[in-house]
Amino acid sequence: MNIVYWGKYIDTYLMDTFARLQELVGESIHYVLIEENFTRRQAKGEKLVDPSVNPVTLLPQRGFVNMSMDILDQNTDAIHIFLSFWGDRRLFGVLLHALWRRCKVVVIFEPYSTVPHGYWKDEGWLRSHLKVLGRRLAYRMLWPMLRIASREKQPCILAVSPLAEEQLQRVGFSEQVIYPFGYFVERKIVEPEQGDQAGVLRAMFSGSLIKRKGLDVAIAAVQRVNSVSVRVMLDIYGPGDIGKFPVDGLPGICYKGVYSQEDAQKIISGYDLLLVPSLHDGWGLVVNEALMQEVPVVVSDRVGAKILVESSGAGLVFENGNVEQLTELLTDLSAHRDKIAVMKSRCVLIRDLITPQIGADYLHKVLKYYFAQDGAKPRPVWSLQE
């Protein structure tokens, strides 16, 4: 099974899974990239992919089309996996060409944001609202375009979370082409700092300091819980301007700065609870990292990885942006620590089902089933469905 990966970049949340997929298929994956470095996540492509093991092609500004068509010509029998439809507009043209040539095509699709806030940075009101409108219109046209280009040899869509599945079906994608997917990380063996289990509830937030991440929701809820005395301690980690979320002088709330990705699980393991209050998150890999370390997660219903919390009981889901509901949850958990212990035990149930090896095994079965009708239709084990 020959596989070609097309993407603006490659990052750790896919690389670990693809490394194990490569072992299963017995052939090196060819990475075709737009950028060598993905600066927003500070992940360097050249370190993630070893060119002595995997062919790596960086598509140039000039000659982009010719080189892309050459790669398609040289890999007519390969499975071509695209990272999103519009991660880079030029690659969408390559995707349509691949479908027109009746290539085997897979698309990894994260749910798009329906809230008027920037993905990577805060943006103005008009720009943000125009982007939301543009996404809705674009995706309504997407399925007809793909059907015309593919001439009924439809691409396989890896829908990252049930949120993605809902969006695809709403604009006409057939259920037969949609396969649930997610992101996966290895569990690290760490020695966490032990907090005072008899004292306040120790919670953390980890994410960019932008509106989309919902930090203001978490701060407002913790303020209410701590209105009389400190019952919840919230430590905030992440890049950006904390001045947009003034926390100085707020009881129990502290900005701790930024940690390296390598230290993520060690940092998280020292807390009782992870808060993920995002107004939109396609997946939210920090949820995986917390569950790997038996740290329960309180997550908004607009975070893709909520599926891991819902299916396992390793945390709680609250309504997006609902400060009152989050306040009630935190108040209850701070008063009943036994509920935290129960959720920690549920983390053990899910953590062995969200490893890169599990993800690779599932993806391998999807590819064989979809393109070779080999075996039964695979089910994602992390959803804990019978």
Side-chain angles (χ1 to χ4, degrees), residues 51-66:
S52 67
V53 177
N54 295 91
V56 180
T57 302
L58 290 178
L59 294 173
Q61 289 286 342
R62 292 185 177 181
F64 178 96
V65 174
N66 289 339

Side-chain angles (χ1 to χ4, degrees), residues 8-151:
K8 188 173 183 178
Y9 52 82
I10 184 68
D11 206 349
T12 51
Y13 63 84
L14 284 174
M15 194 63 225
D16 290 345
T17 301
F18 278 22
R20 280 146 191 81
L21 175 63
Q22 183 169 276
E23 295 170 0
L24 292 173
V25 302
E27 293 188 51
S28 297
I29 296 175
H30 180 182
Y31 292 96
V32 184
L33 310 176
I34 301 294
E35 297 177 3
E36 190 172 25
N37 301 331
F38 185 26
T39 54
R40 289 193 179 102
R41 296 185 193 269
Q42 300 300 310
K44 293 185 177 296
E46 74 272 19
K47 291 185 178 179
L48 293 176
V49 182
D50 183 352
S52 67
V53 177
N54 295 91
V56 180
T57 302
L58 290 178
L59 294 173
Q61 289 286 342
R62 292 185 177 181
F64 178 96
V65 174
N66 289 339
M67 183 174 287
S68 299
M69 295 306 105
D70 287 346
I71 293 171
L72 289 178
D73 288 339
Q74 295 161 13
N75 295 277
T76 54
D77 295 327
I79 295 174
H80 297 265
I81 301 180
F82 288 81
L83 179 60
S84 83
F85 292 105
W86 288 302
D88 185 279
R89 285 176 300 215
R90 293 171 297 175
L91 284 180
F92 181 63
V94 179
L95 188 158
L96 292 179
H97 272 284
L99 289 172
W100 186 254
R101 296 178 181 210
R102 305 187 70 77
C103 295
K104 301 169 185 174
V105 173
V106 178
V107 182
I108 301 171
F109 173 72
E110 278 192 23
Y112 60 86
S113 177
T114 57
V115 296
H117 303 295
Y119 271 92
W120 304 109
K121 61 182 180 180
D122 290 322
E123 298 175 336
W125 184 92
L126 179 60
R127 181 182 179 90
S128 297
H129 280 78
L130 287 175
K131 282 188 174 182
V132 170
L133 177 60
R135 290 181 199 122
R136 288 174 176 164
L137 294 175
Y139 279 100
R140 286 185 182 280
M141 296 186 296
L142 180 60
W143 182 238
M145 291 173 64
L146 296 181
R147 291 189 64 181
I148 293 171
S150 65
R151 292 173 288 176

Side-chain angles (χ1 to χ4, degrees), residues 117-243:
H117 303 295
Y119 271 92
W120 304 109
K121 61 182 180 180
D122 290 322
E123 298 175 336
W125 184 92
L126 179 60
R127 181 182 179 90
S128 297
H129 280 78
L130 287 175
K131 282 188 174 182
V132 170
L133 177 60
R135 290 181 199 122
R136 288 174 176 164
L137 294 175
Y139 279 100
R140 286 185 182 280
M141 296 186 296
L142 180 60
W143 182 238
M145 291 173 64
L146 296 181
R147 291 189 64 181
I148 293 171
S150 65
R151 292 173 288 176
E152 301 305 322
K153 188 172 183 179
Q154 300 166 3
C156 172
I157 312 296
L158 300 177
V160 179
S161 84
L163 298 177
E165 295 178 59
E166 293 168 11
Q167 289 181 346
L168 291 168
Q169 292 177 8
R170 195 178 303 131
V171 296
F173 279 72
S174 166
E175 187 177 341
Q176 283 68 42
V177 307
I178 300 173
Y179 290 78
F181 197 55
Y183 298 140
F184 311 92
V185 295
E186 298 287 4
R187 180 174 185 265
K188 295 187 177 181
I189 306 301
V190 301
E191 295 182 7
E193 298 179 6
Q194 296 298 319
D196 181 6
Q197 299 300 312
V200 300
L201 181 67
R202 303 179 70 247
M204 74 170 289
F205 166 94
S206 178
S208 299
L209 307 182
I210 57 176
K211 181 71 174 176
R212 179 175 64 84
K213 291 293 186 176
L215 176 56
D216 54 339
V217 176
I219 292 172
V222 173
Q223 276 188 274
R224 293 187 184 186
V225 177
N226 294 342
S227 59
V228 176
S229 62
V230 175
R231 303 171 64 182
V232 174
M233 183 189 75
L234 175 63
D235 284 348
I236 300 166
Y237 296 85
D241 180 11
I242 191 60

